Amino acid sequence: MATTTLDDYLAQLDQLQQQALQRFRECRNAQELEQVRVEYLGAKRGVLRQVQQRLKELAPEEKPQAGKRFNELKKTLEAALEEAKQRVAASPQPEKPAKEKRRRGAEDLPPPFDPTAVPPQAQLRLGRLHPVTQTIRRMKEVMARLGFEVADGPEVEDPWHNFEALNIPEAHPARDPLDNFYLSTARLTEPQPPQEEGPQLLLRSQTSTVQIRVMEKRPAPVRVIALGRVYRPDTADATHFPMFHQMEGLYVDRGVTMAQLKTVLRLFASMFFGPEVQVRFRPSFFPFTEPSVEVDMTWKDGWIEMGGAGMVDPAVLQAVGYDPEQVTGFAFGLGVERVCMRQYGIDDIRLLYRNDVRFLQQF
Ligand code: DAH
């Protein structure tokens, strides 16, 4: 997906033209003019050259119009340079300052300080969205076309939404403190207060929490996705990071089947990655689905695991007050970073969270 739109680009050229013409007009001698020439028309680092590079980022069908406007701009600036050259050559050179100290006239003073002025180079540094944000937006778009609306839930959760309602009972290993970020309310520096009442909160370890929150709030049918951060105390390596994102999907209605689940995930994959991607479902286990599958997609010469899915377990439907005799549903959870990495050919998740602009500006 192009990161620069035609409108942005054309607006940038207009702004640049205005600025540059003004700068050429303000030149009072050959030396100043040379500085401004290099700044804008310099062959290697000139602003114009940088702007020309960005043409590449536009969609192919936008390029002709953008290129035409770029050429006009270039001609305009070259003409302005010529005009300024002649004007500077014709104007009398300032006299050498007399040895005697002259009284300073108004023209000798530097221009007044303008704290709101932005240097022309800085204005051209357009920001862009983080690749994960771009991926999340695309995923939402694709799922919207498949009829899924976006739901949301908190990142700090209670055990009911993160575990219990999802059929993960108290003694289940998934609730181990070593596998979760539980939040402690005790202060380290003071004597421990008596144990507070109420559930022990944690950073959610999965977006499946939002399934519960949505179904608690409204009756079937529901067809939603939820995209957001999840947290697990994993050691960071090429495929793991203690914070990552998931896209959860949930569809509950009368007569929803596994065939529909497979179709939706296949459609998502081909709409997102293109028709050549293949999707594979492997039998698996999750407490909140029965049956459960692992979802893989082709990448390079092999498969990459994208997430899990299955038919919503009747116990989950019961937990939120749905009648499993009346409705069935499917659910899935995909790793957003995995999708992003396959989309852009990134082979190490840590690159996404190093905040290195040289890496990020490629997307
Ligand atoms: N919550 C699971 C995880 O984080 C992923 C998942 C599996 C979500 C199956 C689902 C599902 O909705 O049906 O590993």
Side-chain angles (χ1 to χ4, degrees):
M1 196 168 49
T3 50
T4 303
T5 67
L6 182 61
D7 285 350
D8 288 347
Y9 190 76
L10 294 179
Q12 197 188 354
L13 295 191
D14 287 345
Q15 193 188 15
L16 169 59
Q17 172 162 333
Q18 252 184 357
Q19 270 170 23
L21 291 181
Q22 167 99 18
R23 296 285 303 281
F24 279 124
R25 273 199 298 273
E26 282 167 3
C27 289
R28 283 167 306 174
N29 55 49
Q31 200 185 350
E32 283 177 13
L33 184 56
E34 176 58 11
Q35 268 178 16
V36 176
R37 183 193 70 77
V38 171
E39 186 177 325
Y40 284 96
L41 296 166
K44 274 205 189 127
R45 301 241 170 74
V47 173
L48 215 57
R49 177 89 189 116
Q50 292 175 31
V51 171
Q52 189 178 23
Q53 296 282 338
R54 303 211 63 166
L55 268 173
K56 286 200 280 265
E57 296 171 17
L58 293 168
E61 69 275 11
E62 295 174 343
K63 280 184 186 157
Q65 194 188 341
K68 185 160 165 266
R69 175 70 184 102
F70 175 84
N71 288 334
E72 278 168 23
L73 170 64
K74 188 163 177 211
K75 284 218 182 85
T76 308
L77 295 200
E78 282 165 355
L81 171 66
E82 272 317 303
E83 193 189 301
K85 265 189 195 158
Q86 289 174 13
R87 178 170 52 75
V88 170
S91 72
Q93 291 301 306
E95 296 163 39
K96 295 259 163 67
K99 289 223 168 118
E100 239 173 298
K101 225 180 178 188
R102 292 185 301 144
R103 267 190 63 218
R104 295 190 117 211
E107 324 86 84
D108 298 329
L109 293 173
F113 174 62
D114 176 2
T116 63
V118 181
Q121 299 268 8
Q123 287 187 7
L124 290 166
R125 231 176 280 154
L126 283 187
R128 48 187 91 204
L129 295 173
H130 191 280
V132 169
T133 308
Q134 295 185 36
T135 300
I136 286 176
R137 292 194 174 182
R138 267 290 299 291
M139 291 174 93
K140 284 184 185 168
E141 271 168 33
V142 168
M143 292 308 294
R145 279 152 66 193
L146 293 170
F148 285 75
E149 72 179 285
V150 176
D152 205 0
E155 289 176 29
V156 173
E157 264 296 3
D158 52 53
W160 169 256
H161 292 97
N162 202 83
F163 300 123
E164 241 126 86
L166 287 163
N167 205 24
I168 306 173
E170 184 92 48
H172 196 282
R175 296 175 69 153
D176 195 301
L178 292 177
D179 292 329
N180 294 282
F181 286 111
Y182 285 100
L183 305 181
S184 167
T185 47
R187 295 213 207 130
L188 294 173
T189 51
E190 284 173 17
Q192 297 279 309
Q195 189 68 49
E196 275 195 34
E197 294 285 315
Q200 173 149 42
L201 303 179
L202 74 159
L203 296 181
R204 68 179 177 194
S205 61
Q206 49 184 352
T207 46
S208 305
T209 54
V210 186
Q211 294 184 28
I212 304 303
R213 289 193 172 271
V214 169
M215 290 189 286
E216 279 175 340
K217 255 189 262 146
R218 46 172 141 144
V222 294
R223 187 156 48 171
V224 294
I225 50 168
L227 283 127
R229 297 190 183 108
V230 300
Y231 302 85
R232 292 176 197 176
D234 287 335
T235 306
D237 61 23
T239 52
H240 294 87
F241 207 77
M243 182 283 306
F244 59 101
H245 297 73
Q246 290 183 328
M247 177 171 78
E248 194 78 15
L250 174 72
Y251 179 25
V252 183
D253 200 349
R254 282 176 198 277
V256 173
T257 68
M258 187 95 182
Q260 289 168 339
L261 165 64
K262 293 170 83 174
T263 301
V264 163
L265 287 174
R266 288 211 160 99
L267 280 172
F268 168 78
S270 60
M271 287 160 78
F272 195 98
F273 293 119
E276 67 290 339
V277 67
Q278 286 182 53
V279 184
R280 172 172 87 174
F281 301 92
R282 281 180 293 122
S284 184
F285 175 81
F286 298 100
F288 35 89
T289 44
E290 181 60 35
S292 306
V293 289
E294 218 97 30
V295 184
D296 302 339
M297 295 182 193
T298 44
W299 191 26
K300 296 180 179 161
D301 295 331
W303 297 90
I304 177 172
E305 186 186 316
M306 287 293 183
M311 297 304 292
V312 180
D313 195 293
V316 173
L317 296 174
Q318 256 155 3
V320 296
Y322 282 17
D323 180 355
E325 298 296 326
Q326 297 290 319
V327 292
T328 54
F330 68 69
F332 59 85
L334 303 184
V336 172
E337 279 79 358
R338 296 278 171 93
V339 173
C340 177
M341 288 162 76
R342 190 192 188 281
Q343 178 184 6
Y344 294 118
I346 298 166
D347 54 13
D348 191 327
I349 189 175
R350 290 168 295 191
L351 288 167
L352 290 170
Y353 297 116
R354 226 168 242 160
N355 261 355
D356 186 332
V357 178
R358 290 168 304 177
F359 170 76
L360 295 174
Q361 71 188 0
Q362 302 175 84
F363 305 102

